[in-house]
Amino acid sequence: MTGIGGGVELGAQAARSRALAVLRVRSRALAVALLPAAVAVILLAGGSTGHLVGGGWDAARWAVSVLALLVLAATAAVALVVARARPAVTPTVAVAEESAPDLYRMVRDLADRLDVPAPSAIALTPDCDSWLEDRTHPAHGPPPARDHDDLSDPVGPARRRSAAAPVLVIGSPFLWWMRVGELRAVLAPVVAGTGPAAHPDIAAARRFIRGLDAAVAATSTDGRGPLARAARGGIGGVSRLLLRGCRVHAAEMERGVAAAAAERAQAVDYGLRIVAQEQVGLAYAGWDRLLTRVALPAWRMGRWPSRLDVGVVAALTELSRRDRLAEGFASRLGERPACDLLEEPGLMDEAVSLLAARLFHGGPAETGPDWAPVGWEEYPEEVVDRAWRTDAARLHRVLDTLGVRRAAEGAAPGTDGPTLSRVLDHLTTTPAEAPVPARDPAADAGPDATPGTDTTPGTAHHATPGTGTATPDDQATSDPQAATASDPSDPQAATTPGPQPLTAPDDQPADAPAAPGSADHSDDGNGTEDDDDDLAGTTPRGAALAAGLSAQLAREEARTQALASGTAPPPPGTTTGPAATGTALWDDRALPLLPLQPPRTGREILTAHITAMVCCAAMDTAGATPGLDWLDGPTLLVDGARRADLALHVRSLVETGDPAPLRAWLSDLGVRPEKPVRLV
């Protein structure tokens, strides 16, 4: 314990010294601002005493006095903006103490064992991270009442200390996937951070940094006139200058705080720390996979899954069933899950799921006719089936605009509807046709550019609600917050580990194509190439069809954004589920705050739409059904078994114009491509 105490003291001492360095920057800035006033006082005093007399001294007194007044006015303006600017607050779902008494009890017991102040409140975030957040600014509202304070002095020092304590923000996937002991071990270094946060110098330095950051954000908007823009620019410039002066000291201060908290937390649940950190990485990967592969297609269809946290448990459980390397995780499910610490976990999961839809997709704050919750049992019909048929309908609309015949000459009556044969026949290359060559980067597109390779300028290939089911690569949903669920044994570690790759299941090779309805990104490079480069190597007809689909998607997205911009934001204090989501504390005018994927390329859009058409034909003519795979999202089920080999044949058609592999696949399943399918 002596070593631990020494480490804590060293980390806290380093943090305090850096905090004093930050405060010295503030003091020096104030001294510089007061310097002209001090010189003016000296000159005025010299004139009144008869020492500094003469025309030159009189002119100097007037000039310096005017300069001092201007500097003081500017200093007052900067100080006022810094003091009044509202620091950024993370969107969270507040957890009231009456809705989670066991969770509050566990956190207070943890704070007592660590000998640090308990957090003032608890909130949930739809992310795999945990941190402390200071919400003592007056704009954040009054501090929550605390019934557990000293009853003998309810308004004394104990209440004042608890009101100044930061809020503990917990990642909701942790509560549903982790066991109670694992969550306690993960939260130990986070809760330990309330100790250094209570130090007056560190708290003052943090307030100064947050004020400067908020002032920069407040002055970044354009003013209504030249004078207002000049004033904003000046205040913002001063704030940025002070931030640059504090940057190194602030980073070292936070590093010292993290080191002190990590050292102190080693005395609590040391044996569970390694196991808990493994669960952090696994939960991060499962959550990212669930959002990008499962939730995103639903959000595009105007549906938001109301049990995302339950879904991440199902996804990771499915991984443990498929992968022999994850067999140990299944045995954990017999232990008490951390979500049992909540009185009504279902309502809390629903509130977090709606907040996740707003942050990652930009959905509305309230449920409506075009934004309804969907349960996992309804997901295949309400999301997968509708998404495929919507994509297939868009594909045929674009074919109509390109003048493609609905039925071949001499076809039987009744076959002029939306058929898969129409798509296959159009994309099939003739001997006279060749794939689109790669574009010469040094040459601009001219009149003799290859037909079909020109896309609409400025077209953004974003998916919109009610469109497509293509999904992006696995990627982190956001940058982890600092000083959170990191390994307490490492004083320098203060961030959550990045997304862990999921191991390929035994019944599916690691290089297997994505599930039907998912876009495959393995051959699309880093996403920085333009559409012409992306469609190089495809057929001219495929390139032209991809351009038409991209333009159609862009128009639909523009209409959706125009409708969304006309809706009024929810009033402050609006509640969702069991607790307020804090919409009054963060700017929701630029949603989504954390988009999940970059714009899709033309090849990805074309592949997704052809895949959707094939799935519709399989459902309508061969008895296939839509399904949900917890790890890959929408999937096609044939006789109850998942078919994961469709994407390879669709990609062959797109790239080479050869429909033979896909036709063989359709024949093997008994799909009738000449039969019309039902569209949305």
Side-chain angles (χ1 to χ4, degrees):
M1 293 299 295
T2 303
I4 294 178
V8 173
E9 183 61 30
L10 288 176
Q13 189 64 31
R16 286 195 291 268
S17 64
R18 292 292 182 170
L20 291 175
V22 171
L23 297 179
R24 280 196 293 271
V25 172
R26 184 183 65 178
S27 301
R28 290 167 184 166
L30 181 61
V32 171
L34 294 178
L35 182 60
V39 175
V41 169
I42 294 175
L43 292 177
L44 291 174
S48 62
T49 57
H51 291 82
L52 304 176
V53 294
W57 287 111
D58 292 338
R61 270 189 289 271
W62 278 105
V64 173
S65 298
V66 171
L67 176 62
L69 291 176
L70 294 176
V71 171
L72 289 177
T75 302
V78 172
L80 183 63
V81 172
V82 171
R84 293 177 60 88
R86 183 176 63 182
V89 175
T90 306
T92 56
V93 174
V95 180
E97 185 169 356
E98 56 270 15
S99 65
D102 292 342
L103 180 60
Y104 272 83
R105 191 176 301 111
M106 185 194 75
V107 171
R108 289 173 192 154
D109 178 69
L110 193 58
D112 291 339
R113 291 188 58 184
L114 294 170
D115 194 23
V116 295
S120 60
I122 300 176
L124 298 183
T125 178
D127 198 2
C128 291
D129 210 348
S130 297
W131 66 90
L132 293 172
E133 186 164 276
D134 187 356
R135 297 183 178 179
T136 57
H137 193 274
H140 298 160
R146 300 291 298 275
D147 297 335
H148 68 283
D149 285 332
D150 188 2
L151 298 179
S152 62
D153 186 13
V155 294
R159 176 172 293 273
R160 289 194 294 270
R161 286 194 300 269
S162 65
V167 174
L168 174 62
V169 181
I170 305 175
S172 63
F174 293 165
L175 280 173
W176 268 260
W177 175 243
M178 290 186 174
R179 310 298 100 178
V180 174
E182 295 167 351
L183 180 65
R184 182 187 181 93
V186 166
L187 294 181
V190 184
V191 175
T194 60
H199 192 275
D201 294 335
I202 295 177
R206 284 177 166 175
R207 284 195 301 269
F208 180 58
I209 295 295
R210 286 195 303 271
L212 291 177
D213 184 71
V216 170
T219 57
S220 61
T221 57
D222 293 335
R224 296 183 178 179
L227 185 60
R229 285 195 296 269
R232 287 177 177 270
I235 296 174
V238 173
S239 301
R240 293 185 183 91
L241 180 63
L242 293 176
L243 274 177
R244 285 194 294 269
C246 300
R247 180 182 304 165
V248 175
H249 299 303
E252 292 298 328
M253 177 185 69
E254 297 300 337
R255 187 173 288 111
V257 170
E263 289 291 339
R264 184 179 295 273
Q266 287 191 13
V268 178
D269 298 332
Y270 183 80
L272 286 173
R273 187 166 298 112
I274 297 178
V275 176
Q277 290 302 316
E278 292 176 353
Q279 302 310 314
V280 168
L282 189 66
Y284 201 112
W287 181 250
D288 177 68
R289 190 97 173 211
L290 182 77
L291 292 180
T292 56
R293 298 295 181 92
V294 179
L296 188 58
W299 293 338
R300 290 173 179 161
M301 296 303 302
R303 298 290 186 269
W304 54 278
S306 58
R307 295 292 186 270
L308 284 180
D309 291 304
V310 172
V312 75
V313 175
L316 295 176
T317 304
E318 177 67 12
L319 175 66
S320 67
R321 185 190 66 82
R322 295 186 188 181
D323 191 355
R324 62 177 178 269
L325 297 178
E327 291 177 356
F329 297 126
S331 61
R332 302 171 49 259
L333 301 181
E335 304 174 14
R336 185 190 182 194
C339 62
D340 280 357
L341 299 174
L342 304 174
E343 289 293 308
E344 299 184 52
L347 293 179
M348 197 66 66
D349 192 2
E350 183 176 352
V352 174
S353 299
L354 181 56
L355 179 59
R358 299 204 68 203
L359 296 181
F360 300 123
H361 184 68
E366 297 178 351
T367 299
D370 299 327
W371 187 245
V374 60
W376 294 125
E377 65 281 355
E378 305 165 348
Y379 186 94
E381 291 295 330
E382 292 291 328
V383 176
V384 181
D385 183 85
R386 289 184 61 232
W388 284 343
R389 298 189 187 278
T390 300
D391 275 8
R394 184 183 302 106
L395 177 62
H396 282 278
R397 286 198 302 270
V398 174
L399 288 175
D400 290 338
T401 61
L402 294 177
V404 179
R405 296 176 60 91
R406 279 194 171 258
E409 295 183 3
T415 60
D416 58 346
T419 63
L420 178 59
S421 294
R422 182 193 189 196
V423 180
L424 298 180
D425 294 341
H426 175 68
L427 293 177
T428 300
T429 57
T430 63
E433 293 175 326
V436 178
R439 183 172 63 92
D440 184 3
D444 294 329
D448 359 330
T450 304
T453 60
D454 183 26
T455 58
T456 303
T459 298
H461 305 311
H462 287 282
T464 59
T467 68
T469 57
T471 56
D473 288 332
D474 295 337
Q475 61 182 355
T477 56
S478 62
D479 292 336
Q481 300 285 344
T484 59
S486 57
D487 185 359
S489 61
D490 184 5
Q492 303 299 327
T495 57
T496 301
Q500 306 283 333
L502 292 176
T503 307
D506 289 340
D507 57 354
Q508 180 183 354
D511 57 349
S518 299
D520 181 79
H521 294 245
S522 59
D523 55 357
D524 292 315
N526 56 10
T528 59
E529 300 174 346
D530 58 19
D531 295 331
D532 292 343
D533 293 333
D534 172 69
L535 295 173
T538 61
T539 64
R541 292 183 178 182
L545 185 56
L549 290 170
S550 301
Q552 179 69 21
L553 279 172
R555 287 191 292 268
E556 293 178 8
E557 182 186 47
R559 286 196 299 267
T560 302
Q561 292 179 346
L563 292 175
S565 62
T567 59
T574 300
T575 59
T576 302
T581 57
T583 55
L585 303 181
W586 54 284
D587 185 4
D588 59 354
R589 293 172 295 178
L591 294 173
L593 299 180
L594 304 169
L596 287 179
Q597 68 168 12
R600 291 189 293 173
T601 62
R603 180 182 300 189
E604 293 169 353
I605 292 174
L606 178 60
T607 301
H609 282 72
I610 297 175
T611 301
M613 185 62 200
V614 173
C615 292
C616 291
M619 290 188 296
D620 290 350
T621 66
T625 57
L628 168 61
D629 186 276
W630 290 111
L631 298 177
D632 292 316
T635 186
L636 184 67
L637 301 179
V638 179
D639 296 330
R642 175 191 174 201
R643 295 303 298 255
D645 54 346
L646 173 58
L648 180 64
H649 305 307
V650 172
R651 189 163 59 245
S652 176
L653 173 65
V654 170
E655 294 176 354
T656 66
D658 182 13
L662 182 56
R663 287 189 182 275
W665 187 88
L666 296 172
S667 177
D668 181 61
L669 265 65
V671 179
R672 303 282 300 275
E674 73 280 1
K675 292 290 185 179
V677 299
R678 178 174 58 88
L679 303 179
V680 173

